[in-house]
Structures are given as structure tokens and as C-alpha cells.
Amino acid sequence: MAEKDDTLKKVISHSKEYGFVFQSSEIYDGLSATYDYGQYGSELKNNIKKYWWMSMVQMHENIVGIDAAIFMHPTTWKASGHIDAFNDPLIDNKDSKKRYRADVLIEDYIAKIEGKINKDITKAKKRFGDDFNETEFRNTNPNVTRRQEQINDVNTRMADALNSDDLENVRQLIIDLGIKCAVSGTANWTEVRQFNLMFGTELGSVSGESATIYLRPETAQGIFVNYLNVQKTSRMKLPFGIAQIGKAFRNEIVARQFIFRMREFEQMEMQFFIKPGTQMEWYQYWKNTRMKWHNALGFGEDNYRFHDHIKLAHYADAACDIEFNYPMGFKELEGIHSRTDFDLGAHQEHSKKNLTYFDSETNERYLPYVLETSIGLDRMFLSVLTKSYAEETLKDGSSRVVLRIPPALAPVKVAIFPLTKKDGLPEKARAIMHKIKLDHNCQYEEKDAIGKRYRRQDAIGTPFCITVDHETLENNTITIRERDSMKQERVDINDLAQIISSKVSISNLINQE
């Protein structure tokens, strides 16, 4: 765990040093759990958005995108259940005065047991080699089965307590498990209390309703209230989806772990409207489709896993998370939820508008069910950054820090270096950059030795560096150096645009899905 914590600290430091992420309002000592994306961070973030949008909207004939307002009529949040049920169970340690989410404390306890199981499995793999059968080992090894039974028991107790809103039993479970505060080292806990996460503000009178209006805690409701508009104007037939990328706001009391949990964040959501009774079929479809999308990045299938929800949200009949192996362990990256007809039904009731769909094939009218995929853009950003970060010792004894960001997502695709600042090399280098900068984000550098320039580009994840030298002036060739392997190749300038495009196109990722 210490090594993993080290990685996160290094990534946080690297993010600031190289212009990926800054603490918001840093000159005023910062604002807690709020961050700004720098010059390279904003490029990486935009490329992740593009990858998601192309995969979700451009590649699906029956999915369209919208951009709904952040402010919405306050009745929206009454209908959605957020005013009454959008709460986190919080608990304080009386000695440290530190506040925790009660369910997260229990989940972290479970994660430690899972870590022990994984450690046993790793040892067994080394011992038995190719003869190792993980399924059989999990089912028969006494230590593993005992620990798995312990996990199952804790999960059952937590699910029973949370589903029945029995906060006293949630607290009792924390006490029974001997969970202690990481700061004080004591188990001197307060009662568990529910805390609503929505930010309220004043916006004058809204259609005669209360003056209180909310910053949206999710982007999904903007899709639901526009469902009928989109369906009619696009003449969409079921099944069809509506996608959106946008900001959301949650008054997180326990905001932590860098950009993993923030009060202002961005979501990439798609609501897929389907015929009632087909939800389990589409639930499996989107689980498989979304996992393929993540795996196309090449970080390794073992860094992703499905985690079924213990406590279902009030709107769901099935739900799971795609969890990613962050430096702090497996945590939620994307949620996939079968929302039934709760949302459209609630908005139909509160708005008094008919939101039913007429199915011309069956000659019947009904409220569509909804399948949701919702991914945190900031968490996606963190997953890319942490798995791309590497420290390497090279053959000559020197070292480098490199971000092995998938080329299609890299903030800068190509860096162009003149070998020297004279003899017409800078002019030639800029002429080359002028030819390719319309299609790719490029960077020109002429300061310092070539080796130092390579290191700077490695540190921001640039996949290709091009060196213009005197031979370039003679035969129109340049040296192209690849980031990960550091191999260099001499190529004709006329082939450069095609070579770069073939390596950094988002279509390379989409074709792997």
C-alpha cells in the first residue's frame, strides 16, 4: 500500500510540475477539493472526451448528443428523488475530528481482506506455475475461503443496514470490525448521520416556486427532461440513446485523493431508452461494450473489474461499477445502471406531461425503461495518468520519467526539434510543423541539447519527436523518435503526415473495441 500511495504522490507532483493539474486558487492558498486543468491537462481531458463522444455518438446511429443547462427547475430534483434521498452516511472520529463516509470505511476494510486473498493467489501462482488453477485455489484453500466468508458476511450486514437505513447498525458494524481512524488510531466514533450533497443557491422566483435552486448533482436529469424533445425532433425509435458531457456539483464532505473525488467534476453519461422487459439484455450488452472501450486503451484487463452494488439506488433494478486499479486500490470509474421507468415516470407525474412512447410495431403505448452508463471524466483522467506514469533507468545509467499515454489521447502528438539554431534548420523545422499542425497538436523546441528536449517531451507523454538536421536539407528526410521504445528511424518528410496520423488516430482505439 505504501508503494501505491507513493505513486499517487508522484503523479500529483508531476501533474503540477508539467502543467496537467493545479490546485484551484493556489495563490490564495487554494480551495479544498477543487482543481484546475493546465495546458496539457486540458488537452488530455479534451482527447478523452473526444474518444468517448466518437465511440458513443458518432459510432452509433441510434445515439445522439445534447448539452443541457446546469440550472434546472427545482421540481426536477424533487421528482428525481435527490431532495429526499441524495445523502451520504457520515461518521466522525471524536478524537481526530476527522469525518468519514461510513460505507467507505467498511469497503476499505473489505479491500484489505481482498488484498490478503490476492497476495495468497500471487504466491500460489509463483509456486505452481502453469499448473496453477485459480478457481480451484479460491474454492479450496482454507485461508482464502475463510477470508471470502468474512467478506460475504460483512457485505451482507452492510447491505441489510444500508437498505433499511439502519444507521445504528452501520455504526455497530464499524465498531464490531474494529475499524479505527487513520489519524487518531482510535475507534471513538460518533453516531452515523445522513448528509444531503446538493448545493443550493438563490435565483429569484422560478415559476412561482421556491427561490431555492440547485447546482445539478448529476447530468442525467438534463437528458430525461429533454427525452421527449429529442425523440420527436430526431424521430427516434426505441431503442435509442441520448449522450451528454457536462459539469456536476456535489457538496462532498469527504473529498479526497486528488481529483478522484471533487465538489465540481465532469461526467460523460448516456441514457439508453428501451422497451420494458428488455432491460437485462441491454444491461449485459452495455456492461460488455463499456468494458471493451476501457480495455482498448491497453492498460491491461487485470486493472478493471465489475463490482455489483450492494445497496441499489431507489431507481435501479440492477447496477454495477467498472472499478479501476488506482494507486489507492480498486475504485469506481464508471457506473452501469438499469434505472427502470423511474425517471420518466417521476417526471411525468410531477410535470403532468405525457412522456409515454407509442410503439408502432406493437401498437401500444408505454413509458420506456432506461439503461445508463455514467463515467467520471476526472476519474478517467486520473486512471490514464496513474497507469501511464513510469520511472525508468536506461542502459547508459541515466533515468527518465515518462508518461506512456495512449498516443490517441496524448496532449501533444508531435514535437519538432531543429538540431541547431542556425543554418536554416529552425526555418525548415517550422515549415514541417506548419504542414502537420492543422491535424495534430504540435510543439516546437530549440532550446537545450536534444537529450534534454527528449526528456521534457517524455514527461508530458508526447509519442513522437522529430529532429531536423543538416541531412534534412540535403535529402528531405528527418529522424522520428518513438517515445516508449526510444527507437529512431529516418523517414521522408513526404511520408511524415501519414505516419503520424496512422499512429495517433482515435480510430485506432475504436477499432479495438
Side-chain angles (χ1 to χ4, degrees):
M1 184 61 74
E3 182 181 344
K4 288 193 168 188
D5 289 342
D6 241 20
T7 300
L8 184 60
K9 289 177 183 177
K10 289 177 180 178
V11 167
I12 293 171
S13 176
H14 191 87
S15 295
K16 180 181 178 182
E17 183 180 358
Y18 286 94
F20 282 86
V21 183
F22 305 129
Q23 178 72 52
S24 180
S25 313
E26 187 175 321
I27 63 171
Y28 296 107
D29 297 325
L31 184 64
S32 174
T34 312
Y35 293 90
D36 300 330
Y37 287 85
Q39 64 273 26
Y40 298 124
S42 58
E43 291 289 343
L44 173 56
K45 200 176 183 186
N46 285 336
N47 290 339
I48 293 172
K49 289 182 188 178
K50 187 177 180 181
Y51 173 39
W52 184 85
W53 194 267
M54 286 182 66
S55 298
M56 192 62 76
V57 179
Q58 190 169 326
M59 299 304 292
H60 288 91
E61 294 180 24
N62 61 340
I63 298 177
V64 296
I66 65 168
D67 184 6
I70 289 172
F71 288 138
M72 302 181 72
H73 193 287
T75 307
T76 301
W77 306 112
K78 182 67 177 175
S80 67
H82 282 83
I83 289 177
D84 298 323
F86 194 53
N87 305 303
D88 271 348
L90 301 180
I91 190 170
D92 296 296
N93 183 269
K94 296 177 182 177
D95 299 318
S96 68
K97 313 301 181 188
K98 186 172 174 60
R99 180 164 289 171
Y100 299 88
R101 271 183 55 177
D103 55 332
V104 171
L105 282 177
I106 299 169
E107 287 172 357
D108 287 346
Y109 179 89
I110 292 171
K112 289 179 182 178
I113 303 175
E114 289 177 338
K116 292 178 181 179
I117 291 175
N118 291 334
K119 190 174 181 180
D120 287 340
I121 291 172
T122 300
K123 287 181 179 178
K125 282 181 180 178
K126 289 181 180 179
R127 181 181 177 187
F128 296 107
D130 294 338
D131 295 330
F132 180 68
N133 184 321
E134 183 174 333
T135 302
E136 182 180 345
F137 185 81
R138 284 182 177 274
N139 292 331
T140 58
N141 182 271
N143 286 335
V144 173
T145 55
R146 173 175 50 81
R147 288 177 176 137
Q148 189 59 54
E149 286 174 5
Q150 187 180 2
I151 290 173
N152 294 341
D153 179 61
V154 173
N155 274 330
T156 300
R157 286 188 62 186
M158 179 167 66
D160 289 344
L162 290 174
N163 286 328
S164 61
D165 291 320
D166 188 344
L167 300 183
E168 176 54 37
N169 264 337
V170 174
R171 178 179 183 272
Q172 190 59 49
L173 178 57
I174 291 172
I175 294 172
D176 291 347
L177 295 177
I179 296 174
K180 296 180 179 180
C181 170
V183 177
S184 68
T186 69
N188 191 10
W189 299 109
T190 65
E191 302 300 312
V192 180
R193 293 164 293 170
Q194 293 284 16
F195 181 84
N196 194 282
L197 300 177
M198 285 200 295
F199 281 106
T201 187
E202 301 296 318
L203 197 67
S205 60
V206 182
S207 302
E209 298 288 337
S210 167
T212 301
I213 197 166
Y214 299 96
L215 295 177
R216 66 184 183 193
E218 65 176 25
T219 59
Q221 299 307 318
I223 293 176
F224 295 132
V225 299
N226 279 294
Y227 150 78
L228 198 59
N229 288 333
V230 173
Q231 191 271 319
K232 287 184 174 179
T233 56
S234 296
R235 302 170 65 193
M236 303 292 280
K237 293 185 177 182
L238 294 185
F240 73 90
I242 303 176
Q244 178 176 217
I245 299 174
K247 287 288 186 78
F249 307 84
R250 296 181 184 179
N251 193 11
E252 296 277 5
I253 296 300
V254 190
R256 57 179 180 163
Q257 296 170 330
F258 194 32
I259 58 173
F260 181 81
R261 191 180 300 280
M262 299 190 292
R263 296 187 174 95
E264 176 186 342
F265 56 97
E266 207 159 354
Q267 290 180 297
M268 303 186 293
E269 292 196 335
M270 193 278 297
Q271 308 297 329
F272 198 66
F273 300 90
I274 57 176
K275 184 176 182 178
T278 65
Q279 65 267 33
M280 288 303 104
E281 171 190 342
W282 285 110
Y283 180 63
Q284 290 300 325
Y285 171 83
W286 283 111
K287 281 180 65 175
N288 296 334
T289 299
R290 295 307 300 147
M291 185 63 87
K292 288 179 182 177
W293 185 86
H294 288 288
N295 282 323
L297 292 173
F299 293 134
E301 294 184 11
D302 56 340
N303 282 308
Y304 302 90
R305 71 182 187 187
F306 287 113
H307 174 72
D308 292 326
H309 283 204
I310 295 172
K311 178 184 178 182
L312 291 176
H314 57 276
Y315 52 75
D317 65 357
C320 74
D321 296 329
I322 293 177
E323 294 186 333
F324 183 78
N325 189 17
Y326 291 97
M328 54 278 192
F330 276 97
K331 300 286 183 181
E332 177 190 355
L333 172 59
E334 177 166 7
I336 301 166
H337 311 121
S338 174
R339 299 181 72 120
T340 67
D341 62 355
F342 171 83
D343 300 282
L344 293 184
H347 288 303
Q348 178 171 263
E349 178 185 348
H350 283 79
S351 68
K352 309 304 179 187
K353 300 293 192 299
N354 183 3
L355 300 182
T356 58
Y357 172 82
F358 179 71
D359 191 330
S360 58
E361 292 184 5
T362 61
N363 203 31
E364 60 181 326
R365 186 174 287 277
Y366 50 79
L367 273 176
Y369 272 32
V370 176
L371 243 297
E372 172 186 72
T373 74
S374 176
I375 179 171
L377 176 55
D378 307 276
R379 293 184 178 189
M380 182 72 186
F381 182 102
L382 184 60
S383 73
V384 172
L385 213 56
T386 54
K387 276 297 177 281
S388 298
Y389 181 88
E391 298 174 355
E392 296 181 346
T393 301
L394 307 179
K395 291 180 180 179
D396 62 2
S398 63
S399 62
R400 70 166 180 163
V401 173
V402 56
L403 292 183
R404 298 183 183 277
I405 299 171
L409 303 184
V412 178
K413 299 295 191 289
V414 185
I416 296 144
F417 309 150
L419 186 62
T420 65
K421 299 179 184 179
K422 57 184 181 178
D423 301 333
L425 297 184
E427 291 79 5
K428 184 65 173 177
R430 288 196 176 277
I432 293 171
M433 188 171 86
H434 184 73
K435 288 183 178 180
I436 61 176
K437 69 180 182 181
L438 182 63
D439 298 313
H440 310 292
N441 191 20
C442 302
Q443 196 168 86
Y444 175 89
E445 269 203 280
E446 61 180 30
K447 183 182 177 182
D448 294 327
I450 285 291
K452 286 189 177 181
R453 286 183 258 177
Y454 283 154
R455 293 295 171 266
R456 280 198 293 270
Q457 295 300 324
D458 289 343
I460 64 173
T462 305
F464 297 103
C465 293
I466 293 166
T467 303
V468 176
D469 54 22
H470 293 90
E471 190 177 343
T472 305
L473 304 180
E474 297 172 6
N475 59 18
N476 210 40
T477 63
I478 47 91
T479 299
I480 183 168
R481 182 251 197 191
E482 197 269 332
R483 176 196 65 203
D484 296 342
S485 67
M486 296 185 290
K487 289 182 179 178
Q488 300 186 26
E489 183 182 1
R490 200 84 192 178
V491 301
D492 192 288
I493 290 176
N494 295 324
D495 298 331
L496 182 60
Q498 190 276 328
I499 292 172
I500 297 298
S501 294
S502 68
K503 301 289 187 181
V504 304
S505 173
I506 286 181
S507 64
N508 292 338
L509 296 176
I510 293 175
N511 288 335
Q512 292 181 53
E513 291 181 40

